[in-house]
Amino acid sequence: MRKSSWALSAAAAGAAVAVLAVPTITTDRSHGDTAVTAVTVNNGKPILLGPQKAMTFPLVVEARDDSGIRSVDPVGVWGPNYGVLKVGPMRCTASSATESVCRGTVTVDPVEKQIFNDEAGTWFVDLQVKANDGDRYVAKTAGGFSLKRAAKLSGSGVPAEAKAGQKITAQGWLARAFWSDNRFHGYKDGVAYLQFRPEGSHRWTTVAKAVSTGSGTVKATVTVAGPGDFQWYAPGDKWTGDAVSAEMPVAGGR
C-alpha cells in the first residue's frame, strides 16, 4: 500500500528501529551546544534509480558537542508526496574529544514499491543527534540530496560514411525509469542535444537540440563537417537523471 497517510508517521515513530516518520521523526527540540557540521548522502552525487534494481547508498553525519557525541538516532530520509525510506543503524566514530563521524546506509527498492514516480526530486535527512551530556540537535531537514529517475538514450540514423557537406538525420530514443511498473518508457518533452566530435579530437560540440515526442523519439538533421563521432546527450532535470547514447561514428565518404 502506498505511503499516503499521516497515519504512517505515527506508526513509524513508534517502531523500535530507526524509521522516519513524516515529516519529522521526533517531537523533541534541540537544546545545548550539539551541532551537525556536515551531512553527506551518496558521496554528494545524485542517486539515479532504475526501474528494477535496488540501490544502497551511504549516509554520513558529522557532529560535535563539548561532551562528545553519543548517537545519531532516530534518523530517516523523506521526500516529495510522503516519500519515506528507512536508514540502517548509524555507527559513530569519534574523530576527537568533541567530534564524531556517524555512518549508515539507505536502501531503496522500486520492485518492492518503496518509491513511486512522483516521489523523485529533492529529499531530506531527518535526524536527532544525542550528546554524552544529554544535549541534542534535532532537524527534519539536516541535509538534502537528489533522488532521480534513471534515464537512458539510444541513437541511430548516422551513416557509416558521409561526405563533408552532406546532410544526415540522426534519431534517438529517450526513456526514463517508471517505478510504477518497473520498466523504461519513452520520456515526453525531454531535451536532448546532438553532439559531434571530430576525428582525432577529445572535445564534443553541440550541433543540434531536440525535444522528445510523446514516445520519447528525438530527431535532428545536420550537415556533416567531416569524419568523427556523433552522440546524443540529455542533461536531465530535477526529477530525471542525465543520459548519453553510444557513439555513432561516421567516416569520410569518397
Side-chain angles (χ1 to χ4, degrees):
M1 179 179 294
R2 180 160 184 176
K3 309 174 290 295
S4 59
S5 171
W6 290 100
L8 175 64
S9 303
V17 295
V19 179
L20 173 67
V22 181
T24 182
I25 54 177
T26 177
T27 57
D28 290 337
R29 296 183 178 181
S30 300
H31 68 81
D33 63 348
T34 308
V36 168
T37 56
V39 175
T40 306
V41 179
N42 198 41
N43 301 312
K45 301 176 181 178
I47 298 155
L48 308 182
L49 182 65
Q52 296 183 348
K53 187 176 180 180
M55 287 186 65
T56 297
F57 50 91
L59 167 62
V60 180
V61 176
E62 300 176 43
R64 61 176 172 79
D65 184 273
D66 61 1
S67 68
I69 299 300
R70 177 158 60 93
S71 66
V72 176
D73 177 48
V75 59
V77 296
W78 64 276
N81 295 300
Y82 306 103
V84 56
L85 295 172
K86 176 183 175 181
V87 178
M90 300 288 289
R91 292 178 171 80
C92 297
T93 302
S95 53
S96 71
T98 60
E99 299 178 333
S100 289
V101 178
C102 304
R103 304 176 186 274
T105 59
V106 184
T107 298
V108 54
D109 188 345
V111 174
E112 294 297 324
K113 303 305 177 188
Q114 295 174 348
I115 193 166
F116 297 86
N117 293 339
D118 61 0
E119 293 172 349
T122 302
W123 282 61
F124 298 96
V125 179
D126 188 0
L127 54 70
Q128 181 174 156
V129 179
K130 299 173 183 175
N132 289 322
D133 61 1
D135 290 350
R136 69 170 67 93
Y137 174 85
V138 180
K140 60 183 177 182
T141 56
F145 62 98
S146 292
L147 201 168
K148 303 183 180 185
R149 297 161 68 177
K152 66 178 182 179
L153 185 55
S154 60
S156 62
V158 175
E161 291 187 3
K163 295 179 180 180
Q166 179 179 336
K167 288 187 179 296
I168 64 170
T169 299
Q171 299 182 29
W173 185 59
L174 178 60
R176 64 176 172 177
F178 273 62
W179 298 327
S180 54
D181 65 358
N182 308 118
R183 297 174 60 190
F184 276 101
H185 293 278
Y187 177 20
K188 181 182 179 181
D189 295 331
V191 175
Y193 298 93
L194 183 65
Q195 299 179 325
F196 179 71
R197 179 181 62 187
E199 188 175 68
S201 174
H202 297 287
R203 182 177 180 180
W204 292 95
T205 300
T206 296
V207 294
K209 174 184 175 181
V211 177
S212 59
T213 66
S215 63
T217 299
V218 290
K219 183 184 295 186
T221 299
V222 296
T223 301
V224 175
D229 300 292
F230 286 93
Q231 70 174 15
W232 284 103
Y233 167 67
D237 53 30
K238 181 179 179 180
W239 308 274
T240 307
D242 60 348
V244 63
S245 73
E247 296 172 9
M248 299 174 284
V250 58
R254 297 180 180 179

